[in-house]
Amino acid sequence: MTDRTHDPALRSWVDSANEPGADFPIQNLPFATFLTGAGPHVGVAIGDRILDATAALGVPSLQSVMAMPKAGRLDLRHRISDYLVTRRTGAESHLSPLAGSRLLLPCMIGDYTDFYASIHHATNVGSMFRPDNPLLPNYKWLPVGYHGRASSIVLSGTPIRRPSGQIAEFPAGPPVFGPSRRLDYELELGAFIGPGNALGRPIPIAEAADHVVGVCLLNDWSARDIQTWEYQPLGPFLAKNFATSISPWVVTAEALEPFRRAPEPRPANDPQPLPHLQSPTADAYDITLEVWLRSARMPAPMRVSHTSFRAMYWTLAQMVAHHTSSGCSFRPGDLIGSGTVSGPLKENRGCLLEVTWRGAEPLELPTGEIRRFLEDGDEVILRGRCEAPGVRPIGLGECRGTIAS
Ligand code: MN
């Protein structure tokens, strides 16, 4: 449900928040953790400023926000909104410019799981390897995922080192050990989890959406040549555990409320989800996601693709319900990745593997350079934005990463 904090006419005393096109108007209020003279504090983006919510409102840490029940998060949103709508004496002292702020990872991420929830991505990738049978039998019954690696999640802007690994020229080997030549990005949405569940107590689908605190942009860097050799029979391993970049801002589920939609209808012949994965509410989100690429020789990045998060086959709530249906526990601050977000059209493809169709259709850059996969010095920029009629648009900011040379 929307409330006064979503009113498109609402304005902040922080002028830059009222400019059209701002990512962070008063209706957004995303959280980050940033470094102050007194240590890491909770920040809230407002226009081109960051509000020190620890100093101004006593919010101890983002981890503590993740641990709150939904009602507590809603109450906190109202307090922050009121603080930034009605100016009080001395409030300016709790603001600092966003530019030059030292942002940190939002919280201590205990566990990270990556899904594969875009049927367009799964169909594209599957058809490269199994043209007659791109989707495996389980795909339409459960959101496929794998347990990822929390220790190598890095903040946007962190340089990405090209991994080395076992690479085989032929399917039966033998492999050689060396730097990946097929380094890729994956455009994904990340979701921070809270408050979570006790071991052995699944989160029912009707409550699952309340355990999504908010979202960020996520780049699941992938070494396709390492992946091809190692992934059977247990799934991705070293091809994806060398780095995962996330954007610093946690855009809350409350801020996304005006952009919540019913998922796109499933084709008539597709099975309905089993009862424990059938959502009683509309729990998809209409979020426009983009990938931009800039080689070291390009003065400005070019847009490679754009897509909508609404086109996912499985929603974040279904991922949460499925993940815990075994009794597996989520802890506050755990992170799930949606899987590569691709859409039905060529311009909606969320990774280079799809964009260049395994290198068969190379991408030409404005400089005349050719890309099949990422080269040293390439920068990948993910962007996200929500727009809807009669609603103040909000942005997710950016997730950047450059391949170190
Ligand atoms: Mn992925």
Side-chain angles (χ1 to χ4, degrees):
M1 228 171 341
T2 56
D3 58 34
R4 68 174 192 271
T5 66
H6 303 98
D7 180 353
L10 201 62
R11 292 171 70 82
S12 171
W13 51 265
V14 181
D15 291 332
S16 58
N18 305 319
E19 286 167 17
D23 263 359
F24 308 129
I26 184 75
Q27 291 82 359
N28 193 345
L29 307 176
F31 290 110
T33 297
F34 76 117
L35 198 59
T36 72
H41 279 193
V42 177
V44 175
I46 181 76
D48 61 4
R49 309 271 128 173
I50 184 164
L51 170 71
D52 185 336
T54 302
L57 295 161
V59 185
S61 67
L62 209 34
Q63 204 90 29
S64 73
V65 176
M66 305 268 178
M68 287 177 182
K70 171 89 174 174
R73 301 197 311 260
L74 206 53
D75 178 61
L76 178 58
R77 174 176 171 87
H78 287 147
R79 286 171 57 209
I80 295 167
S81 178
D82 293 345
Y83 190 89
L84 291 167
V85 168
T86 310
R87 186 199 295 247
R88 48 199 94 173
T89 315
E92 285 90 349
S93 67
H94 296 311
L95 287 180
S96 48
L98 255 179
S101 291
R102 172 106 185 271
L103 299 171
L104 309 172
L105 282 174
C107 63
M108 167 77 194
I109 300 168
D111 268 308
Y112 161 56
T113 299
D114 195 31
F115 284 92
Y116 192 55
S118 161
I119 197 166
H120 304 291
H121 172 68
T123 305
N124 283 341
V125 173
S127 64
M128 291 174 202
F129 298 93
R130 298 176 302 274
D132 303 329
N133 183 29
L135 289 182
L136 295 173
N138 59 8
Y139 192 84
K140 293 181 177 179
W141 293 98
L142 54 78
V144 171
Y146 66 94
H147 287 115
R149 189 76 193 161
S151 68
S152 50
I153 295 174
V154 297
L155 195 67
S156 170
T158 305
I160 303 302
R161 279 186 53 194
R162 180 180 297 272
S164 285
Q166 286 198 16
I167 298 163
E169 194 178 341
F170 302 103
V176 294
F177 185 84
S180 170
R181 306 290 3 139
R182 297 191 156 204
L183 189 54
D184 201 354
Y185 58 78
E186 289 189 342
L187 166 67
E188 301 195 21
L189 203 66
F192 281 95
I193 302 294
N197 58 310
L199 189 67
R201 303 295 295 271
I203 298 173
I205 183 73
E207 296 166 23
D210 290 352
H211 290 262
V212 175
V213 175
V215 301
C216 63
L217 299 162
L218 184 150
N219 186 340
D220 176 23
W221 303 99
S222 298
R224 300 302 182 192
D225 39 10
I226 298 172
Q227 187 177 359
T228 304
W229 174 243
E230 75 170 7
Y231 88 102
Q232 287 178 319
L234 286 184
F237 189 38
L238 308 187
K240 287 167 178 284
N241 76 357
F242 58 96
T244 304
S245 300
I246 61 171
S247 58
W249 298 105
V250 181
V251 173
T252 63
E254 291 73 40
L256 292 173
E257 186 61 20
F259 311 98
R260 194 158 60 81
R261 300 281 179 274
E264 282 182 0
R266 294 186 168 196
N269 292 330
D270 282 11
Q272 287 305 304
L274 294 174
H276 73 293
L277 296 179
Q278 257 178 43
S279 183
T281 53
D283 57 14
Y285 290 108
D286 197 358
I287 305 172
T288 300
L289 299 169
E290 297 179 336
V291 180
W292 294 68
L293 177 66
R294 189 182 63 80
S295 76
R297 285 170 50 194
M298 286 164 65
M302 69 176 268
R303 194 174 76 165
V304 178
S305 65
H306 62 97
T307 185
S308 169
F309 191 65
R310 202 190 149 203
M312 301 299 274
Y313 197 78
W314 297 98
T315 65
L316 294 172
Q318 286 172 316
M319 295 178 217
V320 168
H322 175 64
H323 201 304
T324 62
S325 63
S326 64
C328 175
S329 50
F330 270 136
R331 291 171 295 196
D334 281 357
L335 182 71
I336 61 175
S338 63
T340 307
V341 185
S342 295
L345 306 175
K346 207 169 172 181
E347 61 260 37
N348 306 142
R349 295 173 179 173
C351 63
L352 277 181
L353 180 69
E354 290 171 87
V355 169
T356 71
W357 212 256
R358 279 172 104 179
E361 302 167 22
L363 183 67
E364 192 176 341
L365 307 182
T367 49
E369 297 168 282
I370 294 293
R371 284 294 177 277
R372 291 178 172 82
F373 291 95
L374 295 170
E375 302 287 340
D376 291 352
D378 286 355
E379 182 180 30
V380 178
I381 305 152
L382 310 183
R383 291 179 181 150
R385 199 164 166 79
C386 303
E387 294 181 358
V391 179
R392 183 72 147 100
I394 62 171
L396 275 66
E398 290 184 337
C399 179
R400 290 174 174 262
T402 301
I403 310 304
S405 45

